[in-house]
Amino acid sequence: MTSTQKSFEVSLSGLHINSSTSIAAVIGDPVKHSLSPVIHNVGFKSLGIDWFYVACEVQEGEAQSALDAMKVLGFRGLSVTMPHKTAIASLVDSVSPAAQALHSVNTVEVTTNGSLVGHSTDGDGLVASLKEQGVSVEGKSILILGAGGAARSVIDALQRHKCQQIFVANRSLEHAQTAVALAPSIAEAVSIVDTAALAEAAANSEIIINATSVGMTRSPTVASASPIPIDLIRSNHIVMDLVYHPVETELLRLTRSRGALAIDGLGMLVHQAALQQQIWTGLMPNVSDMYQAALQALA
Ligand code: NAP
């Protein structure tokens, strides 16, 4: 991240913070460009609860100190982002099945007896975002482009939500092979440079998910690129891009031009945050308010 990168803000009318306000935070490095404070504070507001959310820059190697600080300062919940997701998975008292499978935690819950539980909400956030658009993954064949952390969360969630078949296409075939081990009975690796194999996987899939970073604004050379040859997209495909900055990626633009349903990555981002709030508070915030706030912040 460069120092000129934008930090996102939201102004909330009617916000009252006092000495008993519950605090939640995201830890990571970098976090100054994070959309999480915008999304979460709007979510808390929609619930009408006395919670506030901040971003804390925590350097690599300081995950244990951050958990200790969380306890001492009485923070009620943590979001975890790079580079701490793996370290936190080893440091909390227990982990959810998804966090265990991925060995990655993006959410820390403090239970009533003070123990720390690690969760991973990214994959379920994707499934919830698809569901909001009327798309069920159950029984579907799905092509995932990419095999990094986001792709791994998606593979794990798709398996739990009874997807029938997963193709994982990645630049590094080795990374794809490691990722498919998360769902060995339904997932197979495809090299993204093997055009015939990629075309066959696309033809046999109903849903295509981009979990590569191709299309991100932060990489200008790839921001205008599509992670898949566009002639592989049919009008009856459903295409979801995990990239959310920009919200309208080149892949989504081209998908629409093919007459197919295009779903942006902001929905997943907001749904995984809503699931975090549900873990911390037991309440589900207004996802639509959170989405609109994120969209406005990015504009
Ligand atoms: P990551 O672990 O660094 O993985 C990056 C993936 O992109 C790898 O599969 C990598 O392939 C591939 N890749 C990178 N540059 C490429 C290129 N030029 N051509 C082809 N493939 C390329 O990152 P991540 O955490 O998985 O995140 C991936 C994307 O998902 C990011 O844009 C991130 O912002 C987005 N994301 C969105 C959400 C959401 O809620 N919407 C959540 C998480 C992540 P190799 O293995 O070959 O290097």
Side-chain angles (χ1 to χ4, degrees), residues 135-172:
V135 179
S136 163
V137 299
E138 189 173 339
K140 298 282 182 359
S141 290
I142 301 182
L143 168 60
I144 300 174
L145 309 169
R152 292 169 56 79
S153 313
V154 171
I155 293 166
D156 172 68
L158 292 179
Q159 173 175 242
R160 284 186 287 107
H161 290 271
K162 300 186 172 53
C163 150
Q164 191 183 17
Q165 189 174 25
I166 303 172
F167 303 101
V168 178
N170 194 49
R171 188 174 58 175
S172 150

Side-chain angles (χ1 to χ4, degrees), residues 65-271:
S65 308
L67 288 184
D68 292 343
M70 176 195 188
K71 282 187 171 173
V72 170
L73 297 171
F75 283 16
R76 302 282 304 277
L78 273 193
S79 306
V80 180
T81 188
M82 297 306 291
H84 304 301
K85 288 182 167 190
T86 306
I88 294 283
S90 303
L91 296 171
V92 288
D93 299 310
S94 61
V95 285
S96 70
Q100 181 159 31
L102 299 164
H103 201 61
S104 172
V105 159
N106 79 340
T107 313
V108 180
E109 171 196 8
V110 190
T111 65
T112 41
N113 68 9
S115 80
L116 302 181
V117 185
H119 301 261
S120 178
T121 63
D122 278 336
D124 287 335
L126 170 127
V127 172
S129 176
L130 284 170
K131 193 173 167 197
E132 187 179 46
Q133 302 294 323
V135 179
S136 163
V137 299
E138 189 173 339
K140 298 282 182 359
S141 290
I142 301 182
L143 168 60
I144 300 174
L145 309 169
R152 292 169 56 79
S153 313
V154 171
I155 293 166
D156 172 68
L158 292 179
Q159 173 175 242
R160 284 186 287 107
H161 290 271
K162 300 186 172 53
C163 150
Q164 191 183 17
Q165 189 174 25
I166 303 172
F167 303 101
V168 178
N170 194 49
R171 188 174 58 175
S172 150
L173 184 58
E174 199 188 332
H175 292 170
Q177 282 159 344
T178 306
V180 299
L182 283 163
S185 59
I186 56 167
E188 73 180 78
V190 178
S191 167
I192 218 160
V193 293
D194 182 344
T195 47
L198 181 63
E200 195 184 338
N204 288 327
S205 299
E206 290 131 302
I207 303 173
I208 299 175
I209 297 171
N210 176 37
T212 74
S213 39
V214 175
M216 274 174 75
T217 306
R218 227 187 299 171
S219 346
T221 46
V222 289
S224 59
S226 166
I228 186 172
I230 214 62
D231 56 352
L232 299 189
I233 296 176
R234 299 183 313 255
S235 61
N236 60 349
H237 268 133
I238 295 154
V239 178
M240 180 168 192
D241 203 338
L242 264 53
V243 173
Y244 56 84
H245 194 197
V247 181
E248 179 73 355
T249 59
E250 183 67 358
L251 173 65
L252 296 183
R253 190 184 71 75
L254 292 169
T255 295
R256 288 198 180 91
S257 75
R258 305 282 289 176
L261 177 62
I263 301 174
D264 67 56
L266 205 52
M268 171 180 169
L269 186 73
V270 164
H271 275 281

